[in-house]
Amino acid sequence: FIAGDMLLSSTLRRAGIERSDALVLCLDQDEEAVMVALKAREIRKDMRIIATCARYEDYSIMKDAGIDIVIPSSKYQGDMLADAVLDAYSVDLLFGLISGKGSLELGEMVVERESKLSELSIPSGSRIIAVRSGSNYTVDLNDGLLLRKGDIVFFLKEKLRK
């Protein structure tokens, strides 16, 4: 446990930011998350930064500040509530995947070398559902789809029952 002002570089260093792979920010104030992210980027340019976003209007500011993944929690909650009115089972499935309480798990793997989709080795019993290349996603999947190094393949699999 590290006590201190998270807006100070010295506090971030004492917390071990120089050897961390990621920084997760769950703060009440989006402005504080932006400032901490900027300080963290000064220290570790290659660090993955993930943050919640209290106000959806701050989403683009947080992305511009170098936060890799911004999760606008109130927007997602509102969207899920609205979708549940018409698509209750879809929302239930999505919640199960997010919370880990469903019977399915969402997995991902980074493509290590250029290859075709059919050449990938995914966990047994899994089904590929999407591919991310750069900032674009596709669900138009066929065995001949060419994957580039760094693409991300998403798959669903059943949880092992205990």
Side-chain angles (χ1 to χ4, degrees), residues 84-145:
V85 172
L86 299 173
D87 301 318
Y89 297 109
S90 299
V91 172
D92 192 46
L93 171 68
L94 183 58
F95 180 74
L97 290 171
I98 292 169
S99 68
K101 295 182 180 182
S103 61
L104 297 175
E105 290 180 302
L106 179 64
E108 65 181 59
M109 75 175 15
V110 178
V111 176
E112 295 180 9
R113 62 177 175 77
E114 189 172 292
S115 58
K116 291 184 179 178
L117 188 62
S118 60
E119 299 169 347
L120 268 187
S121 176
I122 62 170
S124 177
S126 298
R127 179 171 303 266
I128 296 173
I129 59 169
V131 173
R132 177 181 172 177
S133 185
S135 61
N136 299 313
Y137 291 86
T138 185
V139 293
D140 184 16
L141 308 171
N142 62 65
D143 287 344
L145 179 66

Short mmCIF file of all heavy atoms in Angstrom, two decimals, residues 84-145:
data_model
loop_
_atom_site.label_atom_id
_atom_site.label_comp_id
_atom_site.label_asym_id
_atom_site.label_seq_id
_atom_site.Cartn_x
_atom_site.Cartn_y
_atom_site.Cartn_z
N ALA A 84 -31.95 -3.68 -22.70
CA ALA A 84 -32.61 -4.77 -21.97
C ALA A 84 -34.12 -4.76 -22.17
O ALA A 84 -34.77 -5.80 -22.06
CB ALA A 84 -32.28 -4.70 -20.49
N VAL A 85 -34.66 -3.60 -22.49
CA VAL A 85 -36.10 -3.52 -22.73
C VAL A 85 -36.49 -4.38 -23.93
O VAL A 85 -37.48 -5.10 -23.90
CB VAL A 85 -36.54 -2.05 -22.94
CG1 VAL A 85 -37.99 -1.96 -23.37
CG2 VAL A 85 -36.29 -1.25 -21.66
N LEU A 86 -35.68 -4.33 -24.99
CA LEU A 86 -36.00 -5.06 -26.22
C LEU A 86 -35.20 -6.36 -26.39
O LEU A 86 -35.70 -7.31 -26.96
CB LEU A 86 -35.76 -4.16 -27.44
CG LEU A 86 -36.60 -2.89 -27.48
CD1 LEU A 86 -36.17 -2.01 -28.63
CD2 LEU A 86 -38.08 -3.23 -27.58
N ASP A 87 -33.97 -6.35 -25.93
CA ASP A 87 -33.08 -7.49 -26.16
C ASP A 87 -32.56 -8.03 -24.83
O ASP A 87 -31.35 -8.05 -24.60
CB ASP A 87 -31.89 -7.06 -27.04
CG ASP A 87 -32.32 -6.54 -28.38
OD1 ASP A 87 -33.23 -7.14 -28.98
OD2 ASP A 87 -31.76 -5.53 -28.84
N ALA A 88 -33.43 -8.47 -23.98
CA ALA A 88 -33.04 -8.88 -22.63
C ALA A 88 -32.00 -9.99 -22.63
O ALA A 88 -31.09 -9.99 -21.81
CB ALA A 88 -34.28 -9.33 -21.85
N TYR A 89 -32.11 -10.94 -23.53
CA TYR A 89 -31.18 -12.07 -23.51
C TYR A 89 -29.80 -11.66 -24.00
O TYR A 89 -28.79 -12.16 -23.51
CB TYR A 89 -31.74 -13.24 -24.31
CG TYR A 89 -33.02 -13.75 -23.69
CD1 TYR A 89 -34.25 -13.55 -24.31
CD2 TYR A 89 -33.01 -14.39 -22.45
CE1 TYR A 89 -35.42 -14.00 -23.72
CE2 TYR A 89 -34.17 -14.83 -21.86
CZ TYR A 89 -35.38 -14.63 -22.50
OH TYR A 89 -36.53 -15.06 -21.90
N SER A 90 -29.73 -10.72 -24.94
CA SER A 90 -28.43 -10.22 -25.40
C SER A 90 -27.72 -9.50 -24.26
O SER A 90 -26.51 -9.68 -24.06
CB SER A 90 -28.61 -9.25 -26.57
OG SER A 90 -29.21 -9.89 -27.66
N VAL A 91 -28.45 -8.69 -23.54
CA VAL A 91 -27.86 -7.96 -22.41
C VAL A 91 -27.42 -8.93 -21.32
O VAL A 91 -26.35 -8.78 -20.73
CB VAL A 91 -28.86 -6.91 -21.86
CG1 VAL A 91 -28.34 -6.29 -20.58
CG2 VAL A 91 -29.10 -5.83 -22.91
N ASP A 92 -28.21 -9.96 -21.08
CA ASP A 92 -27.85 -10.97 -20.09
C ASP A 92 -26.55 -11.68 -20.49
O ASP A 92 -25.67 -11.90 -19.65
CB ASP A 92 -29.00 -11.97 -19.94
CG ASP A 92 -28.82 -12.86 -18.73
OD1 ASP A 92 -28.51 -12.33 -17.64
OD2 ASP A 92 -29.01 -14.08 -18.87
N LEU A 93 -26.43 -12.02 -21.77
CA LEU A 93 -25.21 -12.66 -22.26
C LEU A 93 -24.02 -11.73 -22.08
O LEU A 93 -22.97 -12.13 -21.56
CB LEU A 93 -25.36 -13.04 -23.74
CG LEU A 93 -24.08 -13.52 -24.43
CD1 LEU A 93 -23.63 -14.86 -23.87
CD2 LEU A 93 -24.30 -13.61 -25.92
N LEU A 94 -24.18 -10.47 -22.48
CA LEU A 94 -23.10 -9.50 -22.37
C LEU A 94 -22.69 -9.30 -20.91
O LEU A 94 -21.51 -9.29 -20.57
CB LEU A 94 -23.52 -8.17 -22.99
CG LEU A 94 -22.48 -7.07 -23.00
CD1 LEU A 94 -21.23 -7.50 -23.74
CD2 LEU A 94 -23.06 -5.81 -23.62
N PHE A 95 -23.67 -9.18 -20.02
CA PHE A 95 -23.36 -9.02 -18.60
C PHE A 95 -22.61 -10.25 -18.07
O PHE A 95 -21.66 -10.13 -17.30
CB PHE A 95 -24.62 -8.76 -17.77
CG PHE A 95 -24.32 -8.61 -16.31
CD1 PHE A 95 -23.74 -7.45 -15.84
CD2 PHE A 95 -24.58 -9.63 -15.42
CE1 PHE A 95 -23.42 -7.30 -14.50
CE2 PHE A 95 -24.27 -9.49 -14.08
CZ PHE A 95 -23.69 -8.32 -13.61
N GLY A 96 -23.04 -11.42 -18.50
CA GLY A 96 -22.35 -12.65 -18.08
C GLY A 96 -20.89 -12.66 -18.52
O GLY A 96 -20.01 -13.08 -17.77
N LEU A 97 -20.63 -12.17 -19.73
CA LEU A 97 -19.26 -12.11 -20.22
C LEU A 97 -18.43 -11.09 -19.44
O LEU A 97 -17.29 -11.34 -19.07
CB LEU A 97 -19.23 -11.76 -21.71
CG LEU A 97 -19.73 -12.83 -22.66
CD1 LEU A 97 -19.87 -12.27 -24.07
CD2 LEU A 97 -18.80 -14.04 -22.66
N ILE A 98 -19.03 -9.92 -19.19
CA ILE A 98 -18.31 -8.86 -18.48
C ILE A 98 -18.06 -9.23 -17.03
O ILE A 98 -16.96 -9.04 -16.51
CB ILE A 98 -19.10 -7.53 -18.56
CG1 ILE A 98 -19.13 -7.01 -20.00
CG2 ILE A 98 -18.50 -6.48 -17.64
CD1 ILE A 98 -20.09 -5.87 -20.21
N SER A 99 -19.06 -9.77 -16.37
CA SER A 99 -18.95 -10.06 -14.94
C SER A 99 -18.25 -11.37 -14.64
O SER A 99 -17.82 -11.60 -13.51
CB SER A 99 -20.35 -10.10 -14.31
OG SER A 99 -21.07 -11.22 -14.80
N GLY A 100 -18.16 -12.24 -15.64
CA GLY A 100 -17.58 -13.56 -15.40
C GLY A 100 -18.54 -14.52 -14.75
O GLY A 100 -18.16 -15.62 -14.35
N LYS A 101 -19.82 -14.16 -14.66
CA LYS A 101 -20.80 -15.01 -13.98
C LYS A 101 -21.62 -15.85 -14.94
O LYS A 101 -22.47 -16.61 -14.52
CB LYS A 101 -21.73 -14.14 -13.12
CG LYS A 101 -20.98 -13.46 -12.00
CD LYS A 101 -21.87 -12.65 -11.13
CE LYS A 101 -21.01 -12.02 -10.03
NZ LYS A 101 -21.71 -11.27 -9.09
N GLY A 102 -21.37 -15.72 -16.23
CA GLY A 102 -22.10 -16.52 -17.21
C GLY A 102 -21.42 -17.85 -17.46
O GLY A 102 -20.40 -18.19 -16.85
N SER A 103 -21.97 -18.61 -18.40
CA SER A 103 -21.41 -19.93 -18.71
C SER A 103 -20.37 -19.85 -19.83
O SER A 103 -19.76 -20.84 -20.18
CB SER A 103 -22.52 -20.90 -19.11
OG SER A 103 -23.20 -20.42 -20.26
N LEU A 104 -20.18 -18.66 -20.40
CA LEU A 104 -19.20 -18.45 -21.46
C LEU A 104 -18.11 -17.50 -21.00
O LEU A 104 -18.33 -16.66 -20.13
CB LEU A 104 -19.88 -17.87 -22.71
CG LEU A 104 -20.93 -18.72 -23.39
CD1 LEU A 104 -21.58 -17.94 -24.52
CD2 LEU A 104 -20.34 -20.01 -23.91
N GLU A 105 -16.95 -17.62 -21.63
CA GLU A 105 -15.85 -16.70 -21.39
C GLU A 105 -15.44 -16.08 -22.71
O GLU A 105 -15.47 -16.75 -23.74
CB GLU A 105 -14.63 -17.44 -20.82
CG GLU A 105 -14.80 -17.93 -19.42
CD GLU A 105 -13.54 -18.64 -18.94
OE1 GLU A 105 -13.14 -19.63 -19.58
OE2 GLU A 105 -13.00 -18.21 -17.93
N LEU A 106 -15.04 -14.82 -22.66
CA LEU A 106 -14.51 -14.14 -23.82
C LEU A 106 -13.00 -14.17 -23.72
O LEU A 106 -12.45 -13.82 -22.68
CB LEU A 106 -15.02 -12.69 -23.86
CG LEU A 106 -14.54 -11.83 -25.01
CD1 LEU A 106 -15.05 -12.39 -26.35
CD2 LEU A 106 -15.03 -10.40 -24.83
N GLY A 107 -12.36 -14.61 -24.78
CA GLY A 107 -10.90 -14.66 -24.78
C GLY A 107 -10.35 -13.87 -25.94
O GLY A 107 -11.06 -13.53 -26.88
N GLU A 108 -9.08 -13.56 -25.86
CA GLU A 108 -8.42 -12.85 -26.95
C GLU A 108 -6.99 -13.35 -27.08
O GLU A 108 -6.40 -13.81 -26.11
CB GLU A 108 -8.44 -11.34 -26.75
CG GLU A 108 -7.67 -10.84 -25.57
CD GLU A 108 -7.74 -9.33 -25.41
OE1 GLU A 108 -8.86 -8.80 -25.26
OE2 GLU A 108 -6.68 -8.68 -25.43
N MET A 109 -6.50 -13.27 -28.29
CA MET A 109 -5.10 -13.62 -28.52
C MET A 109 -4.52 -12.67 -29.55
O MET A 109 -5.20 -12.25 -30.48
CB MET A 109 -4.94 -15.08 -28.97
CG MET A 109 -5.34 -15.35 -30.37
SD MET A 109 -5.03 -17.04 -31.01
CE MET A 109 -4.71 -18.02 -29.65
N VAL A 110 -3.27 -12.30 -29.35
CA VAL A 110 -2.57 -11.42 -30.27
C VAL A 110 -1.87 -12.28 -31.31
O VAL A 110 -1.19 -13.26 -30.96
CB VAL A 110 -1.54 -10.54 -29.52
CG1 VAL A 110 -0.78 -9.66 -30.48
CG2 VAL A 110 -2.25 -9.70 -28.46
N VAL A 111 -2.05 -11.94 -32.57
CA VAL A 111 -1.42 -12.68 -33.67
C VAL A 111 0.07 -12.37 -33.65
O VAL A 111 0.48 -11.20 -33.67
CB VAL A 111 -2.06 -12.30 -35.02
CG1 VAL A 111 -1.35 -12.99 -36.17
CG2 VAL A 111 -3.55 -12.63 -35.01
N GLU A 112 0.90 -13.42 -33.61
CA GLU A 112 2.35 -13.25 -33.48
C GLU A 112 3.07 -13.16 -34.82
O GLU A 112 4.17 -12.62 -34.89
CB GLU A 112 2.92 -14.38 -32.64
CG GLU A 112 2.41 -14.34 -31.22
CD GLU A 112 2.98 -15.46 -30.36
OE1 GLU A 112 3.89 -16.18 -30.82
OE2 GLU A 112 2.49 -15.61 -29.23
N ARG A 113 2.46 -13.70 -35.87
CA ARG A 113 3.07 -13.63 -37.20
C ARG A 113 1.96 -13.66 -38.24
O ARG A 113 0.87 -14.12 -37.97
CB ARG A 113 4.04 -14.78 -37.41
CG ARG A 113 3.39 -16.14 -37.35
CD ARG A 113 4.38 -17.28 -37.64
NE ARG A 113 3.75 -18.56 -37.45
CZ ARG A 113 2.91 -19.13 -38.30
NH1 ARG A 113 2.61 -18.53 -39.43
NH2 ARG A 113 2.36 -20.30 -38.05
N GLU A 114 2.25 -13.13 -39.41
CA GLU A 114 1.26 -13.13 -40.47
C GLU A 114 0.82 -14.57 -40.78
O GLU A 114 1.66 -15.46 -40.92
CB GLU A 114 1.83 -12.49 -41.73
CG GLU A 114 0.81 -12.26 -42.80
CD GLU A 114 1.33 -11.44 -43.97
OE1 GLU A 114 1.61 -10.24 -43.77
OE2 GLU A 114 1.46 -12.03 -45.06
N SER A 115 -0.47 -14.78 -40.83
CA SER A 115 -1.00 -16.11 -41.09
C SER A 115 -2.46 -16.01 -41.50
O SER A 115 -3.08 -14.96 -41.39
CB SER A 115 -0.87 -17.00 -39.85
OG SER A 115 -1.55 -16.42 -38.76
N LYS A 116 -3.00 -17.12 -41.95
CA LYS A 116 -4.42 -17.19 -42.28
C LYS A 116 -5.20 -17.58 -41.02
O LYS A 116 -4.66 -18.24 -40.14
CB LYS A 116 -4.67 -18.22 -43.38
CG LYS A 116 -4.12 -17.79 -44.72
CD LYS A 116 -4.47 -18.79 -45.78
CE LYS A 116 -3.92 -18.34 -47.12
NZ LYS A 116 -4.19 -19.31 -48.18
N LEU A 117 -6.44 -17.18 -40.99
CA LEU A 117 -7.29 -17.48 -39.84
C LEU A 117 -7.33 -18.99 -39.57
O LEU A 117 -7.28 -19.42 -38.43
CB LEU A 117 -8.71 -16.95 -40.08
CG LEU A 117 -9.67 -17.01 -38.91
CD1 LEU A 117 -9.19 -16.17 -37.75
CD2 LEU A 117 -11.05 -16.55 -39.34
N SER A 118 -7.36 -19.78 -40.63
CA SER A 118 -7.43 -21.24 -40.48
C SER A 118 -6.18 -21.83 -39.84
O SER A 118 -6.21 -22.96 -39.35
CB SER A 118 -7.67 -21.90 -41.84
OG SER A 118 -6.61 -21.60 -42.73
N GLU A 119 -5.08 -21.09 -39.81
CA GLU A 119 -3.83 -21.59 -39.25
C GLU A 119 -3.68 -21.30 -37.76
O GLU A 119 -2.74 -21.77 -37.13
CB GLU A 119 -2.64 -20.97 -40.00
CG GLU A 119 -2.62 -21.31 -41.48
CD GLU A 119 -1.60 -20.51 -42.27
OE1 GLU A 119 -1.08 -19.50 -41.75
OE2 GLU A 119 -1.34 -20.89 -43.42
N LEU A 120 -4.62 -20.54 -37.21
CA LEU A 120 -4.54 -20.18 -35.79
C LEU A 120 -4.84 -21.38 -34.90
O LEU A 120 -5.68 -22.20 -35.22
CB LEU A 120 -5.56 -19.11 -35.45
CG LEU A 120 -5.12 -17.66 -35.55
CD1 LEU A 120 -6.22 -16.77 -35.01
CD2 LEU A 120 -3.83 -17.38 -34.85
N SER A 121 -4.18 -21.41 -33.77
CA SER A 121 -4.45 -22.44 -32.78
C SER A 121 -5.15 -21.78 -31.60
O SER A 121 -4.52 -21.08 -30.81
CB SER A 121 -3.13 -23.08 -32.33
OG SER A 121 -3.37 -24.01 -31.32
N ILE A 122 -6.46 -21.99 -31.53
CA ILE A 122 -7.24 -21.42 -30.42
C ILE A 122 -7.64 -22.54 -29.47
O ILE A 122 -7.60 -23.72 -29.84
CB ILE A 122 -8.49 -20.66 -30.93
CG1 ILE A 122 -9.43 -21.60 -31.67
CG2 ILE A 122 -8.08 -19.48 -31.79
CD1 ILE A 122 -10.77 -20.99 -31.99
N PRO A 123 -8.02 -22.20 -28.25
CA PRO A 123 -8.39 -23.23 -27.28
C PRO A 123 -9.49 -24.15 -27.82
O PRO A 123 -10.41 -23.70 -28.52
CB PRO A 123 -8.87 -22.43 -26.07
CG PRO A 123 -8.19 -21.11 -26.19
CD PRO A 123 -8.08 -20.85 -27.66
N SER A 124 -9.41 -25.40 -27.48
CA SER A 124 -10.39 -26.40 -27.91
C SER A 124 -11.80 -25.98 -27.49
O SER A 124 -12.01 -25.51 -26.38
CB SER A 124 -10.03 -27.76 -27.29
OG SER A 124 -10.99 -28.71 -27.62
N GLY A 125 -12.76 -26.16 -28.39
CA GLY A 125 -14.14 -25.82 -28.09
C GLY A 125 -14.48 -24.35 -28.23
O GLY A 125 -15.58 -23.94 -27.91
N SER A 126 -13.54 -23.55 -28.71
CA SER A 126 -13.75 -22.11 -28.85
C SER A 126 -14.27 -21.78 -30.23
O SER A 126 -14.07 -22.51 -31.19
CB SER A 126 -12.44 -21.34 -28.62
OG SER A 126 -11.97 -21.55 -27.33
N ARG A 127 -14.93 -20.64 -30.33
CA ARG A 127 -15.42 -20.14 -31.62
C ARG A 127 -14.95 -18.69 -31.78
O ARG A 127 -15.22 -17.85 -30.92
CB ARG A 127 -16.93 -20.20 -31.69
CG ARG A 127 -17.49 -19.67 -32.99
CD ARG A 127 -18.95 -19.94 -33.12
NE ARG A 127 -19.27 -21.35 -33.01
CZ ARG A 127 -19.40 -22.17 -34.05
NH1 ARG A 127 -19.21 -21.72 -35.25
NH2 ARG A 127 -19.73 -23.42 -33.86
N ILE A 128 -14.25 -18.42 -32.87
CA ILE A 128 -13.79 -17.06 -33.16
C ILE A 128 -15.00 -16.21 -33.52
O ILE A 128 -15.84 -16.61 -34.33
CB ILE A 128 -12.75 -17.06 -34.29
CG1 ILE A 128 -11.51 -17.84 -33.85
CG2 ILE A 128 -12.39 -15.62 -34.69
CD1 ILE A 128 -10.47 -18.05 -34.93
N ILE A 129 -15.09 -15.03 -32.90
CA ILE A 129 -16.25 -14.16 -33.15
C ILE A 129 -15.89 -12.84 -33.82
O ILE A 129 -16.75 -12.19 -34.40
CB ILE A 129 -17.03 -13.89 -31.85
CG1 ILE A 129 -16.14 -13.22 -30.80
CG2 ILE A 129 -17.65 -15.17 -31.31
CD1 ILE A 129 -16.90 -12.67 -29.61
N ALA A 130 -14.63 -12.40 -33.75
CA ALA A 130 -14.25 -11.13 -34.35
C ALA A 130 -12.73 -11.03 -34.42
O ALA A 130 -12.01 -11.72 -33.71
CB ALA A 130 -14.81 -9.96 -33.55
N VAL A 131 -12.26 -10.14 -35.31
CA VAL A 131 -10.84 -9.84 -35.43
C VAL A 131 -10.70 -8.32 -35.43
O VAL A 131 -11.45 -7.62 -36.10
CB VAL A 131 -10.24 -10.42 -36.72
CG1 VAL A 131 -8.81 -9.96 -36.93
CG2 VAL A 131 -10.31 -11.95 -36.72
N ARG A 132 -9.72 -7.84 -34.66
CA ARG A 132 -9.40 -6.42 -34.66
C ARG A 132 -8.07 -6.24 -35.35
O ARG A 132 -7.07 -6.86 -34.99
CB ARG A 132 -9.31 -5.88 -33.23
CG ARG A 132 -8.91 -4.42 -33.19
CD ARG A 132 -8.81 -3.90 -31.78
NE ARG A 132 -8.25 -2.55 -31.81
CZ ARG A 132 -8.09 -1.82 -30.74
NH1 ARG A 132 -8.44 -2.27 -29.56
NH2 ARG A 132 -7.57 -0.62 -30.85
N SER A 133 -8.06 -5.37 -36.35
CA SER A 133 -6.84 -5.02 -37.07
C SER A 133 -6.70 -3.51 -37.00
O SER A 133 -7.52 -2.78 -37.57
CB SER A 133 -6.93 -5.50 -38.52
OG SER A 133 -5.71 -5.27 -39.19
N GLY A 134 -5.69 -3.04 -36.27
CA GLY A 134 -5.60 -1.60 -36.02
C GLY A 134 -6.76 -1.19 -35.13
O GLY A 134 -6.99 -1.76 -34.09
N SER A 135 -7.56 -0.24 -35.60
CA SER A 135 -8.74 0.17 -34.83
C SER A 135 -10.03 -0.36 -35.45
O SER A 135 -11.12 0.01 -35.03
CB SER A 135 -8.80 1.70 -34.72
OG SER A 135 -8.89 2.26 -36.02
N ASN A 136 -9.90 -1.23 -36.45
CA ASN A 136 -11.07 -1.78 -37.14
C ASN A 136 -11.38 -3.21 -36.70
O ASN A 136 -10.47 -4.01 -36.54
CB ASN A 136 -10.85 -1.76 -38.66
CG ASN A 136 -10.64 -0.37 -39.19
OD1 ASN A 136 -11.38 0.54 -38.85
ND2 ASN A 136 -9.62 -0.19 -40.00
N TYR A 137 -12.66 -3.49 -36.55
CA TYR A 137 -13.13 -4.83 -36.19
C TYR A 137 -13.85 -5.43 -37.38
O TYR A 137 -14.51 -4.72 -38.13
CB TYR A 137 -14.11 -4.77 -35.01
CG TYR A 137 -13.46 -4.37 -33.70
CD1 TYR A 137 -13.30 -3.04 -33.36
CD2 TYR A 137 -13.02 -5.34 -32.81
CE1 TYR A 137 -12.72 -2.67 -32.16
CE2 TYR A 137 -12.45 -4.98 -31.61
CZ TYR A 137 -12.30 -3.65 -31.30
OH TYR A 137 -11.72 -3.29 -30.10
N THR A 138 -13.74 -6.74 -37.52
CA THR A 138 -14.52 -7.44 -38.54
C THR A 138 -15.10 -8.72 -37.95
O THR A 138 -14.48 -9.35 -37.10
CB THR A 138 -13.69 -7.76 -39.80
OG1 THR A 138 -14.55 -8.34 -40.78
CG2 THR A 138 -12.55 -8.74 -39.52
N VAL A 139 -16.31 -9.05 -38.40
CA VAL A 139 -16.93 -10.33 -38.05
C VAL A 139 -17.14 -11.14 -39.32
O VAL A 139 -17.72 -12.22 -39.28
CB VAL A 139 -18.27 -10.13 -37.30
CG1 VAL A 139 -18.02 -9.51 -35.94
CG2 VAL A 139 -19.26 -9.32 -38.11
N ASP A 140 -16.66 -10.61 -40.45
CA ASP A 140 -16.73 -11.32 -41.73
C ASP A 140 -15.53 -12.26 -41.79
O ASP A 140 -14.49 -11.94 -42.36
CB ASP A 140 -16.71 -10.32 -42.89
CG ASP A 140 -16.88 -10.97 -44.24
OD1 ASP A 140 -17.33 -12.14 -44.28
OD2 ASP A 140 -16.57 -10.32 -45.25
N LEU A 141 -15.70 -13.41 -41.14
CA LEU A 141 -14.58 -14.33 -40.94
C LEU A 141 -14.67 -15.50 -41.91
O LEU A 141 -15.72 -16.11 -42.07
CB LEU A 141 -14.61 -14.85 -39.49
CG LEU A 141 -14.68 -13.78 -38.41
CD1 LEU A 141 -14.92 -14.40 -37.05
CD2 LEU A 141 -13.44 -12.92 -38.42
N ASN A 142 -13.55 -15.80 -42.54
CA ASN A 142 -13.45 -17.00 -43.36
C ASN A 142 -12.05 -17.56 -43.19
O ASN A 142 -11.14 -16.85 -42.75
CB ASN A 142 -13.78 -16.70 -44.84
CG ASN A 142 -12.81 -15.70 -45.45
OD1 ASN A 142 -11.64 -15.99 -45.58
ND2 ASN A 142 -13.30 -14.51 -45.79
N ASP A 143 -11.88 -18.83 -43.51
CA ASP A 143 -10.59 -19.50 -43.27
C ASP A 143 -9.42 -18.81 -43.97
O ASP A 143 -8.29 -18.88 -43.51
CB ASP A 143 -10.67 -20.96 -43.70
CG ASP A 143 -11.49 -21.79 -42.73
OD1 ASP A 143 -11.74 -21.31 -41.61
OD2 ASP A 143 -11.89 -22.91 -43.10
N GLY A 144 -9.69 -18.14 -45.09
CA GLY A 144 -8.62 -17.50 -45.85
C GLY A 144 -8.28 -16.09 -45.38
O GLY A 144 -7.37 -15.46 -45.93
N LEU A 145 -8.99 -15.58 -44.37
CA LEU A 145 -8.74 -14.23 -43.88
C LEU A 145 -7.28 -14.10 -43.46
O LEU A 145 -6.79 -14.88 -42.65
CB LEU A 145 -9.66 -13.90 -42.70
CG LEU A 145 -9.50 -12.52 -42.09
CD1 LEU A 145 -9.90 -11.43 -43.07
CD2 LEU A 145 -10.33 -12.41 -40.81
#
